[in-house]
Amino acid sequence: MLASLAAAFPAVAHAQAAPKAAPAVDAFAAALRDEADGAVKRFYAERGYRPLWVRGGQIEPQAGALLGRIESAELDGLKPSSYRTGRLRELIGEARGGDARALARAEIALSESFARYVRDMRTPGKAKMIYADASLKPKKPSVETVLRAAAFPKDFGAYMSGMGWMSEHYVRLRNLAGHARAKSATREQMARLRLNLDRARILPGPHVYHIVVDASSGQLYYYGSGKRVGSMKVVVGAPETQTPMLAGKLQWAILNPYWNVPDYLVRNSIAPKVLGGRSLASLRMEALSDWGPNPRPLAASEIDWPAVAAGRQEVRLRELPGGANSMGKVKFLFPNKEGIYLHDTPERALLKQEARHLSNGCIRLENAAELGRWLMQRPIDTKSKAPEQAVPLPAQVPVYLTYITAVATERGVAFRPDVYGRDG
């Protein structure tokens, strides 16, 4: 990849030719200190005026990678002309001779353009996300934040080529958009791709510990230490009970949970069974007086089941903990008004289906124990049979529920069925 970039950007290729004597470290640092100002200067001062883009008196290939990204910035919904790539090329060319001051000017210009490009990319687009935790709402990062993040990885080249400041979902879709454009994708296809890119734009990069649930593919991914740690299948909301675009912070694991039955299921599913002769005990359920913290159990004689079935009366039902409980052995909670959470499930057959839009909106996990081990940093202890054991997570972990329909094909781009009608 770097070889092709070098061919595409002669100034960079020339800079990688025969090695020249590197300027004295003190001379380059002094030039960098003199030429830089503002946030960029503060960044370099923090690191003793060590460069990002220069090594051994030469401009690194990462400069070519940056130029390539910027010149295709229309894929990001940005204007390449706003980043002055022509001037960048000139400065890189002037630095070919190894002059300390020319190298410093090129170094600073590259950092300034990179920071501006990343900050623009991290600005949210038109995607609508519900932020249950306001701290997760995207904010345009500062110049210093962008440059510090770039200086942190051991392999700056991999960070640049892999766009390490963006979610892997965004990088995949951006590459797909470039491929689709080359294959002469239709206007409608490119418009749908832009919708998908906007949804992925608001996801964090892999350096942030977080979870992503894609309700289109029925997949969950979790990230930490700069990489994807694992993934698993999930069952998500049916078309009539959709899993929303939602972001919050997981805070609790609830062991041996009850399942509070939604009102519409009480009316449409449970009430007909009771009227047909089933008892709540046979369904492993109990009725409660209210939704408060200390409800009393209701006797069967207190419930007007015909009125419940007709929607004239509401009753709180919950399923008792146990192996057959709809929540399985554990659920993971994050505060949100939509009543969405992640949980175990005994209905394993649903996870084998290709289309897994089958839940009431919550996320049913293929391997709750595996995710719990990652969240808790130890195996989940479910030996106790006590119901509703609330265990705080060692750290609050952001979770993003999204909807990405675009996939790559040999012909360019395709889309999964838009079961939620969000691409229209």
Side-chain angles (χ1 to χ4, degrees), residues 302-315:
E302 296 181 79
I303 304 172
D304 183 349
W305 284 109
V308 172
R312 297 192 305 271
Q313 179 180 328
E314 290 186 354
V315 61

Side-chain angles (χ1 to χ4, degrees), residues 286-355:
E286 62 182 357
L288 301 174
S289 60
D290 56 66
W291 291 92
N294 299 300
R296 65 177 181 83
L298 289 180
S301 60
E302 296 181 79
I303 304 172
D304 183 349
W305 284 109
V308 172
R312 297 192 305 271
Q313 179 180 328
E314 290 186 354
V315 61
R316 177 186 176 184
L317 295 185
R318 68 181 181 185
E319 186 179 26
L320 301 175
N325 182 282
S326 298
M327 299 290 100
K329 295 181 178 180
V330 62
K331 64 181 178 180
F332 303 104
L333 301 186
F334 62 104
N336 66 87
K337 294 180 180 179
E338 284 66 36
I340 302 296
Y341 42 85
L342 284 59
H343 65 85
D344 189 16
T345 178
E347 299 182 79
R348 312 307 296 174
L350 298 182
L351 289 157
K352 296 179 181 179
Q353 298 190 29
E354 184 174 350

Side-chain angles (χ1 to χ4, degrees), residues 159-170:
Y159 184 79
M160 282 299 304
S161 62
M163 298 181 78
W165 55 94
M166 299 299 287
S167 164
E168 67 166 345
H169 302 282
Y170 184 90

Side-chain angles (χ1 to χ4, degrees), residues 164-179:
W165 55 94
M166 299 299 287
S167 164
E168 67 166 345
H169 302 282
Y170 184 90
V171 177
R172 176 181 69 81
L173 289 171
R174 190 189 193 276
N175 292 338
L176 178 55
H179 185 52

Side-chain angles (χ1 to χ4, degrees), residues 99-409:
D99 175 73
R101 195 157 294 273
L103 283 166
R105 292 193 188 105
E107 169 79 24
I108 292 165
L110 285 163
S111 287
E112 289 174 342
S113 294
F114 172 69
R116 189 183 315 121
Y117 175 55
V118 172
R119 294 180 75 219
D120 290 345
M121 288 183 73
R122 294 303 322 180
T123 301
K126 297 179 181 179
K128 302 298 183 182
M129 174 77 82
I130 300 169
Y131 291 97
D133 190 305
S135 69
L136 297 180
K137 194 168 185 177
K139 302 176 184 64
K140 197 170 187 176
S142 69
V143 170
E144 289 161 283
T145 297
V146 171
L147 295 177
R148 286 170 187 153
F152 181 75
K154 293 181 180 179
D155 190 339
F156 181 49
Y159 184 79
M160 282 299 304
S161 62
M163 298 181 78
W165 55 94
M166 299 299 287
S167 164
E168 67 166 345
H169 302 282
Y170 184 90
V171 177
R172 176 181 69 81
L173 289 171
R174 190 189 193 276
N175 292 338
L176 178 55
H179 185 52
R181 185 178 60 178
K183 294 285 186 178
S184 300
T186 67
R187 182 178 298 179
E188 179 187 1
Q189 288 175 323
M190 295 305 295
R192 290 186 72 179
L193 262 174
R194 281 192 290 273
L195 287 174
N196 278 256
L197 277 162
D198 273 351
R199 293 171 192 147
R201 185 190 303 276
I202 54 183
L203 302 176
H207 57 284
V208 176
Y209 276 78
H210 71 284
I211 293 169
V212 171
V213 175
D214 175 22
S216 172
S217 61
Q219 291 285 335
L220 176 149
Y221 310 87
Y222 49 108
Y223 301 86
S225 301
K227 63 182 180 181
R228 185 204 296 180
V229 179
S231 64
M232 65 182 68
K233 296 177 182 177
V234 291
V235 175
V236 295
E240 61 274 14
T241 52
Q242 298 182 10
T243 297
M245 293 272 293
L246 175 65
K249 289 183 179 179
L250 291 174
Q251 299 180 13
W252 295 87
I254 308 297
L255 309 185
N256 299 323
Y258 290 103
W259 175 45
N260 290 302
V261 186
D263 290 339
Y264 77 93
L265 287 178
V266 174
R267 180 177 63 251
N268 298 331
S269 179
I270 306 303
K273 290 177 181 177
V274 173
L275 291 172
R278 296 288 300 275
S279 66
L280 286 181
S282 70
L283 295 170
R284 300 198 78 256
M285 291 186 179
E286 62 182 357
L288 301 174
S289 60
D290 56 66
W291 291 92
N294 299 300
R296 65 177 181 83
L298 289 180
S301 60
E302 296 181 79
I303 304 172
D304 183 349
W305 284 109
V308 172
R312 297 192 305 271
Q313 179 180 328
E314 290 186 354
V315 61
R316 177 186 176 184
L317 295 185
R318 68 181 181 185
E319 186 179 26
L320 301 175
N325 182 282
S326 298
M327 299 290 100
K329 295 181 178 180
V330 62
K331 64 181 178 180
F332 303 104
L333 301 186
F334 62 104
N336 66 87
K337 294 180 180 179
E338 284 66 36
I340 302 296
Y341 42 85
L342 284 59
H343 65 85
D344 189 16
T345 178
E347 299 182 79
R348 312 307 296 174
L350 298 182
L351 289 157
K352 296 179 181 179
Q353 298 190 29
E354 184 174 350
R356 296 185 290 278
H357 304 91
L358 303 162
S359 81
N360 300 312
C362 289
I363 316 301
R364 304 183 189 183
L365 303 167
E366 179 182 27
N367 195 333
E370 176 186 304
L371 185 64
R373 188 181 302 112
W374 181 72
L375 288 168
M376 302 289 291
Q377 301 176 22
R378 58 177 173 80
I380 297 178
D381 182 5
T382 55
K383 293 179 182 178
S384 171
K385 300 302 181 183
E388 291 284 311
Q389 300 172 55
V391 182
L393 301 183
Q396 297 183 13
V397 178
V399 57
Y400 295 81
L401 312 184
T402 190
Y403 185 73
I404 297 175
T405 57
V407 294
T409 69

